[in-house]
Amino acid sequence: MICTYSSLQVMLTPMSQFEYVKVEVTSAMRVMSSGGTDSIRVMESQGLEVDSLKDALFILESGEVYRNPTEVKMSQIVLPCHANHCGELSVGQLLKWMDSTACLSAERHAGCSCITASVDDIHFEHTIGVGQVVNIIAKVNRAFTSSMEVGILVTCEDLYIGKQWKVCHAFATFVARRTEAGKVQLKQVIPHTQLEQVEYSLAAERRRMRLIHAEIITDLLNSSAAQLGECQEHKDAVHAEKTRVESVELVLPPHANHQVSTFGGQIMAWMENVATIAASRLCNAHPTLRSIDMFHFRGPSHIGDRLVLKAIVNNAFKNSMEVGVCAEAYQGGEPLRHINSAFMTFEVLDDNRKPCTLPRIRPEPVDGKRRYQEALARKKIRLDRKYIITSKQTQVPLSVPWDQSNQMYLSYNNVSALKLMAAKNNWVLTSEKNKVSLYTLEENQVLCFKVETYVNIAADQTFHLLADLRRRQEWDRHYEKCEVVIQADEEDTIYRVASPSISKGGKGQDFIMLASRRQPCDAKDPYLIALRSVTLPTHPPTDDYTRGEVLCAGFCIWEESSSVTKITYYNQATPGVLPYISTDIVGLSSSFYSIFSACSDFLEANKSRLGAPPLPTAAP
């Protein structure tokens, strides 16, 4: 069946939630299954083996190949009408294709009309030329009450050399529209493959980031802008007003989707157009769009609306510039309605595809200076996100500096790394004693271990008792002392943990650790307590202790029944951790059993005393 959607043709394979389709295994499928997502990048940053979590072909007993029932694919050859003056695919056109593919995936799962609510940060790694093929894959990662996350992977294919490469990936949130029967209750996504399980798990963490994103960014901008002081004056700076662009578009039927609302991809394309003009006015050259920050659609637009699009360069850095763009709508004499705002980062590339040095910007008074300073703050946030989430382990130290501006991304990285480790399915049972099991996993010269046990205590009680690391010294002999350093919020706390020396007469180790706690998003999720090392300028290493580091550790707490809980402790062994567990791994000791037996006794002894746990407070 061919479905026509906003003048685009997408091949849809009819299937229900529980049907499978037989497909031909091609090199294109292998590229699609190795798509780049934030979870893949988090895996790389944690030093975990990426290939082990890429989707392998899931073969059924019948010999058929499993295909995600929400998956929608689009392939488009880039024609001159899709390209800009440089012979490259317009990013606006690409955004339209991405949005339409994702919407069809969302509607396949929901069984009703869906609208785009938001799109996460997008980074465009490559441009696409005329004659090349754009391949887009979209599938629903997870459904919540009435919204769902759709993952989108874009690759480019050169038909003449037979190669494909990743262009970008994105996560979009779609909301199911009300029907005559009322508000839609979406059915749950059932993950089958390992990568689907990972994306399903991480979708809950990404949703948390979206819900708090606006508030956190506002707080960071306010605090950062105050610290940045006055705008710097640069010789030969370009007046920001020179870059201002305002354009109006009349929304006609071809611009609408099948719900008679303005197509979200069309709005994004118009916004990209005015942003490109503003960037061109600064540099007097043809800019290349590199990234778009997360944005939300504030309200709908309809046929007959006049869409007013405004753009201006907020700030120019050495090799990049930030353009702010706003879309507002009105009909007749009604006031303007805010539809969307976005911040786009552009570069100008030379003949060798290297970024050129850009002229500086001179902001106008008041609002211009505010935008100038906020652009500086957003740049730092982008660098923090890139440094923490997307960098490979060889590019960053084990302990990442913590501050308020990167707290959100460090917390996301912390929890995501634990979820990725928990999703591994090739653990090897090393030893077992009285229902306490020790497993190991070695991949890419990285050793991980997990300890698993069951307790006859409710999962929420277990979570609250283990969440405060100060009480761990009551059952874990490796915790000699533990104190709160910073209470960031209800979910994130930074502790200093001191551990005794392994050798007689040697120095003990201390750790500065971020503990990120998460309660389940729904019944299928565990309680999580994720741990990783961070650095604080207020707590440098001392002569009394050797500073140790933890890359990824923590607890997954699963509710087996109302009174039985499975506790799994994970740790990615680092030089600072390995001495404490090496004898257990090689079978010369069973100290893990005594420690987790003590943990069970601790939980049993304290379950009746548990009330509403107070937040930990920092040491004076």
PDB file of all heavy atoms in Angstrom, residues 309-333:
ATOM      1  N   LEU A 309       7.264  34.701  10.799  1.00  0.00           N
ATOM      2  CA  LEU A 309       8.530  34.077  11.173  1.00  0.00           C
ATOM      3  C   LEU A 309       9.591  35.147  11.350  1.00  0.00           C
ATOM      4  O   LEU A 309       9.799  35.968  10.456  1.00  0.00           O
ATOM      5  CB  LEU A 309       8.960  33.070  10.107  1.00  0.00           C
ATOM      6  CG  LEU A 309       7.916  31.983   9.851  1.00  0.00           C
ATOM      7  CD1 LEU A 309       7.727  31.767   8.366  1.00  0.00           C
ATOM      8  CD2 LEU A 309       8.274  30.688  10.533  1.00  0.00           C
ATOM      9  N   LYS A 310      10.249  35.144  12.508  1.00  0.00           N
ATOM     10  CA  LYS A 310      11.256  36.147  12.824  1.00  0.00           C
ATOM     11  C   LYS A 310      12.553  35.444  13.212  1.00  0.00           C
ATOM     12  O   LYS A 310      12.528  34.458  13.943  1.00  0.00           O
ATOM     13  CB  LYS A 310      10.793  37.043  13.973  1.00  0.00           C
ATOM     14  CG  LYS A 310       9.471  37.755  13.705  1.00  0.00           C
ATOM     15  CD  LYS A 310       8.998  38.505  14.939  1.00  0.00           C
ATOM     16  CE  LYS A 310       7.637  39.168  14.714  1.00  0.00           C
ATOM     17  NZ  LYS A 310       7.144  39.838  15.944  1.00  0.00           N
ATOM     18  N   ALA A 311      13.672  35.979  12.737  1.00  0.00           N
ATOM     19  CA  ALA A 311      14.977  35.385  13.066  1.00  0.00           C
ATOM     20  C   ALA A 311      16.003  36.486  13.230  1.00  0.00           C
ATOM     21  O   ALA A 311      15.914  37.546  12.601  1.00  0.00           O
ATOM     22  CB  ALA A 311      15.416  34.409  11.972  1.00  0.00           C
ATOM     23  N   ILE A 312      16.998  36.247  14.084  1.00  0.00           N
ATOM     24  CA  ILE A 312      18.101  37.183  14.292  1.00  0.00           C
ATOM     25  C   ILE A 312      19.286  36.405  14.860  1.00  0.00           C
ATOM     26  O   ILE A 312      19.107  35.412  15.567  1.00  0.00           O
ATOM     27  CB  ILE A 312      17.686  38.324  15.260  1.00  0.00           C
ATOM     28  CG1 ILE A 312      18.738  39.441  15.261  1.00  0.00           C
ATOM     29  CG2 ILE A 312      17.452  37.796  16.668  1.00  0.00           C
ATOM     30  CD1 ILE A 312      18.285  40.699  16.001  1.00  0.00           C
ATOM     31  N   VAL A 313      20.495  36.841  14.506  1.00  0.00           N
ATOM     32  CA  VAL A 313      21.698  36.224  15.074  1.00  0.00           C
ATOM     33  C   VAL A 313      21.862  36.732  16.503  1.00  0.00           C
ATOM     34  O   VAL A 313      22.011  37.936  16.731  1.00  0.00           O
ATOM     35  CB  VAL A 313      22.942  36.552  14.228  1.00  0.00           C
ATOM     36  CG1 VAL A 313      24.194  35.980  14.897  1.00  0.00           C
ATOM     37  CG2 VAL A 313      22.793  35.993  12.816  1.00  0.00           C
ATOM     38  N   ASN A 314      21.814  35.826  17.465  1.00  0.00           N
ATOM     39  CA  ASN A 314      21.949  36.208  18.868  1.00  0.00           C
ATOM     40  C   ASN A 314      23.396  36.444  19.262  1.00  0.00           C
ATOM     41  O   ASN A 314      23.702  37.354  20.033  1.00  0.00           O
ATOM     42  CB  ASN A 314      21.359  35.116  19.768  1.00  0.00           C
ATOM     43  CG  ASN A 314      19.860  35.016  19.647  1.00  0.00           C
ATOM     44  OD1 ASN A 314      19.176  36.004  19.370  1.00  0.00           O
ATOM     45  ND2 ASN A 314      19.321  33.821  19.839  1.00  0.00           N
ATOM     46  N   ASN A 315      24.302  35.609  18.735  1.00  0.00           N
ATOM     47  CA  ASN A 315      25.710  35.743  19.076  1.00  0.00           C
ATOM     48  C   ASN A 315      26.532  34.987  18.045  1.00  0.00           C
ATOM     49  O   ASN A 315      26.057  34.021  17.438  1.00  0.00           O
ATOM     50  CB  ASN A 315      26.002  35.189  20.475  1.00  0.00           C
ATOM     51  CG  ASN A 315      27.241  35.805  21.100  1.00  0.00           C
ATOM     52  OD1 ASN A 315      28.127  36.296  20.390  1.00  0.00           O
ATOM     53  ND2 ASN A 315      27.306  35.803  22.422  1.00  0.00           N
ATOM     54  N   ALA A 316      27.748  35.455  17.822  1.00  0.00           N
ATOM     55  CA  ALA A 316      28.679  34.793  16.915  1.00  0.00           C
ATOM     56  C   ALA A 316      29.945  34.469  17.689  1.00  0.00           C
ATOM     57  O   ALA A 316      30.486  35.319  18.400  1.00  0.00           O
ATOM     58  CB  ALA A 316      28.999  35.685  15.717  1.00  0.00           C
ATOM     59  N   PHE A 317      30.385  33.226  17.562  1.00  0.00           N
ATOM     60  CA  PHE A 317      31.588  32.769  18.221  1.00  0.00           C
ATOM     61  C   PHE A 317      32.697  32.664  17.177  1.00  0.00           C
ATOM     62  O   PHE A 317      32.563  33.205  16.080  1.00  0.00           O
ATOM     63  CB  PHE A 317      31.307  31.451  18.940  1.00  0.00           C
ATOM     64  CG  PHE A 317      30.045  31.505  19.764  1.00  0.00           C
ATOM     65  CD1 PHE A 317      28.885  30.884  19.337  1.00  0.00           C
ATOM     66  CD2 PHE A 317      29.998  32.233  20.943  1.00  0.00           C
ATOM     67  CE1 PHE A 317      27.712  30.953  20.070  1.00  0.00           C
ATOM     68  CE2 PHE A 317      28.833  32.320  21.695  1.00  0.00           C
ATOM     69  CZ  PHE A 317      27.680  31.668  21.253  1.00  0.00           C
ATOM     70  N   LYS A 318      33.753  31.999  17.476  1.00  0.00           N
ATOM     71  CA  LYS A 318      34.866  31.962  16.522  1.00  0.00           C
ATOM     72  C   LYS A 318      34.470  31.267  15.217  1.00  0.00           C
ATOM     73  O   LYS A 318      34.703  31.801  14.127  1.00  0.00           O
ATOM     74  CB  LYS A 318      36.067  31.263  17.151  1.00  0.00           C
ATOM     75  CG  LYS A 318      37.284  31.219  16.227  1.00  0.00           C
ATOM     76  CD  LYS A 318      38.471  30.544  16.893  1.00  0.00           C
ATOM     77  CE  LYS A 318      39.673  30.509  15.940  1.00  0.00           C
ATOM     78  NZ  LYS A 318      40.846  29.851  16.555  1.00  0.00           N
ATOM     79  N   ASN A 319      33.864  30.086  15.327  1.00  0.00           N
ATOM     80  CA  ASN A 319      33.552  29.302  14.132  1.00  0.00           C
ATOM     81  C   ASN A 319      32.075  28.966  13.991  1.00  0.00           C
ATOM     82  O   ASN A 319      31.708  28.168  13.127  1.00  0.00           O
ATOM     83  CB  ASN A 319      34.350  27.992  14.129  1.00  0.00           C
ATOM     84  CG  ASN A 319      35.846  28.212  14.146  1.00  0.00           C
ATOM     85  OD1 ASN A 319      36.535  27.774  15.061  1.00  0.00           O
ATOM     86  ND2 ASN A 319      36.352  28.909  13.149  1.00  0.00           N
ATOM     87  N   SER A 320      31.238  29.516  14.843  1.00  0.00           N
ATOM     88  CA  SER A 320      29.818  29.201  14.768  1.00  0.00           C
ATOM     89  C   SER A 320      28.999  30.389  15.238  1.00  0.00           C
ATOM     90  O   SER A 320      29.532  31.324  15.855  1.00  0.00           O
ATOM     91  CB  SER A 320      29.482  27.965  15.616  1.00  0.00           C
ATOM     92  OG  SER A 320      29.703  28.247  16.989  1.00  0.00           O
ATOM     93  N   MET A 321      27.719  30.345  14.932  1.00  0.00           N
ATOM     94  CA  MET A 321      26.811  31.407  15.374  1.00  0.00           C
ATOM     95  C   MET A 321      25.492  30.792  15.797  1.00  0.00           C
ATOM     96  O   MET A 321      25.090  29.735  15.295  1.00  0.00           O
ATOM     97  CB  MET A 321      26.579  32.417  14.252  1.00  0.00           C
ATOM     98  CG  MET A 321      25.756  31.886  13.095  1.00  0.00           C
ATOM     99  SD  MET A 321      25.628  33.049  11.718  1.00  0.00           S
ATOM    100  CE  MET A 321      27.027  32.531  10.716  1.00  0.00           C
ATOM    101  N   GLU A 322      24.823  31.431  16.744  1.00  0.00           N
ATOM    102  CA  GLU A 322      23.495  30.996  17.155  1.00  0.00           C
ATOM    103  C   GLU A 322      22.455  31.947  16.592  1.00  0.00           C
ATOM    104  O   GLU A 322      22.570  33.158  16.742  1.00  0.00           O
ATOM    105  CB  GLU A 322      23.360  30.950  18.674  1.00  0.00           C
ATOM    106  CG  GLU A 322      21.983  30.490  19.121  1.00  0.00           C
ATOM    107  CD  GLU A 322      21.690  30.750  20.582  1.00  0.00           C
ATOM    108  OE1 GLU A 322      22.116  29.927  21.416  1.00  0.00           O
ATOM    109  OE2 GLU A 322      21.039  31.761  20.905  1.00  0.00           O
ATOM    110  N   VAL A 323      21.448  31.386  15.950  1.00  0.00           N
ATOM    111  CA  VAL A 323      20.336  32.165  15.413  1.00  0.00           C
ATOM    112  C   VAL A 323      19.077  31.786  16.180  1.00  0.00           C
ATOM    113  O   VAL A 323      18.749  30.601  16.297  1.00  0.00           O
ATOM    114  CB  VAL A 323      20.131  31.900  13.905  1.00  0.00           C
ATOM    115  CG1 VAL A 323      18.943  32.700  13.380  1.00  0.00           C
ATOM    116  CG2 VAL A 323      21.392  32.253  13.125  1.00  0.00           C
ATOM    117  N   GLY A 324      18.386  32.782  16.700  1.00  0.00           N
ATOM    118  CA  GLY A 324      17.099  32.559  17.343  1.00  0.00           C
ATOM    119  C   GLY A 324      15.989  32.794  16.347  1.00  0.00           C
ATOM    120  O   GLY A 324      16.027  33.760  15.583  1.00  0.00           O
ATOM    121  N   VAL A 325      15.010  31.913  16.329  1.00  0.00           N
ATOM    122  CA  VAL A 325      13.907  32.043  15.376  1.00  0.00           C
ATOM    123  C   VAL A 325      12.596  31.757  16.092  1.00  0.00           C
ATOM    124  O   VAL A 325      12.520  30.898  16.969  1.00  0.00           O
ATOM    125  CB  VAL A 325      14.109  31.093  14.161  1.00  0.00           C
ATOM    126  CG1 VAL A 325      14.238  29.667  14.599  1.00  0.00           C
ATOM    127  CG2 VAL A 325      12.991  31.242  13.151  1.00  0.00           C
ATOM    128  N   CYS A 326      11.569  32.524  15.727  1.00  0.00           N
ATOM    129  CA  CYS A 326      10.271  32.437  16.388  1.00  0.00           C
ATOM    130  C   CYS A 326       9.173  32.360  15.331  1.00  0.00           C
ATOM    131  O   CYS A 326       9.254  33.032  14.288  1.00  0.00           O
ATOM    132  CB  CYS A 326      10.068  33.657  17.285  1.00  0.00           C
ATOM    133  SG  CYS A 326       8.413  33.817  17.995  1.00  0.00           S
ATOM    134  N   ALA A 327       8.162  31.541  15.585  1.00  0.00           N
ATOM    135  CA  ALA A 327       7.004  31.430  14.690  1.00  0.00           C
ATOM    136  C   ALA A 327       5.749  31.798  15.464  1.00  0.00           C
ATOM    137  O   ALA A 327       5.481  31.238  16.530  1.00  0.00           O
ATOM    138  CB  ALA A 327       6.896  30.017  14.135  1.00  0.00           C
ATOM    139  N   GLU A 328       4.979  32.750  14.915  1.00  0.00           N
ATOM    140  CA  GLU A 328       3.718  33.180  15.516  1.00  0.00           C
ATOM    141  C   GLU A 328       2.639  33.162  14.439  1.00  0.00           C
ATOM    142  O   GLU A 328       2.933  33.331  13.254  1.00  0.00           O
ATOM    143  CB  GLU A 328       3.850  34.580  16.113  1.00  0.00           C
ATOM    144  CG  GLU A 328       4.888  34.664  17.229  1.00  0.00           C
ATOM    145  CD  GLU A 328       5.135  36.103  17.675  1.00  0.00           C
ATOM    146  OE1 GLU A 328       5.301  36.963  16.797  1.00  0.00           O
ATOM    147  OE2 GLU A 328       5.159  36.347  18.887  1.00  0.00           O
ATOM    148  N   ALA A 329       1.389  32.971  14.851  1.00  0.00           N
ATOM    149  CA  ALA A 329       0.297  32.869  13.881  1.00  0.00           C
ATOM    150  C   ALA A 329      -0.851  33.788  14.275  1.00  0.00           C
ATOM    151  O   ALA A 329      -1.048  34.104  15.456  1.00  0.00           O
ATOM    152  CB  ALA A 329      -0.193  31.427  13.794  1.00  0.00           C
ATOM    153  N   TYR A 330      -1.617  34.207  13.260  1.00  0.00           N
ATOM    154  CA  TYR A 330      -2.830  34.984  13.523  1.00  0.00           C
ATOM    155  C   TYR A 330      -3.784  34.818  12.343  1.00  0.00           C
ATOM    156  O   TYR A 330      -3.395  34.427  11.238  1.00  0.00           O
ATOM    157  CB  TYR A 330      -2.498  36.465  13.735  1.00  0.00           C
ATOM    158  CG  TYR A 330      -2.085  37.205  12.475  1.00  0.00           C
ATOM    159  CD1 TYR A 330      -3.027  37.914  11.721  1.00  0.00           C
ATOM    160  CD2 TYR A 330      -0.757  37.192  12.035  1.00  0.00           C
ATOM    161  CE1 TYR A 330      -2.640  38.591  10.560  1.00  0.00           C
ATOM    162  CE2 TYR A 330      -0.372  37.863  10.891  1.00  0.00           C
ATOM    163  CZ  TYR A 330      -1.320  38.556  10.154  1.00  0.00           C
ATOM    164  OH  TYR A 330      -0.950  39.214   9.009  1.00  0.00           O
ATOM    165  N   GLN A 331      -5.045  35.110  12.599  1.00  0.00           N
ATOM    166  CA  GLN A 331      -6.052  35.187  11.552  1.00  0.00           C
ATOM    167  C   GLN A 331      -6.859  36.450  11.775  1.00  0.00           C
ATOM    168  O   GLN A 331      -7.288  36.741  12.894  1.00  0.00           O
ATOM    169  CB  GLN A 331      -6.983  33.964  11.571  1.00  0.00           C
ATOM    170  CG  GLN A 331      -6.374  32.713  10.986  1.00  0.00           C
ATOM    171  CD  GLN A 331      -7.424  31.657  10.632  1.00  0.00           C
ATOM    172  OE1 GLN A 331      -8.597  31.984  10.463  1.00  0.00           O
ATOM    173  NE2 GLN A 331      -6.994  30.407  10.506  1.00  0.00           N
ATOM    174  N   GLY A 332      -7.049  37.210  10.694  1.00  0.00           N
ATOM    175  CA  GLY A 332      -7.824  38.451  10.808  1.00  0.00           C
ATOM    176  C   GLY A 332      -7.190  39.413  11.778  1.00  0.00           C
ATOM    177  O   GLY A 332      -5.984  39.665  11.758  1.00  0.00           O
ATOM    178  N   GLY A 333      -7.992  39.932  12.683  1.00  0.00           N
ATOM    179  CA  GLY A 333      -7.497  40.923  13.637  1.00  0.00           C
ATOM    180  C   GLY A 333      -7.143  40.353  14.978  1.00  0.00           C
ATOM    181  O   GLY A 333      -6.904  41.117  15.941  1.00  0.00           O
TER     182      GLY A 333
END
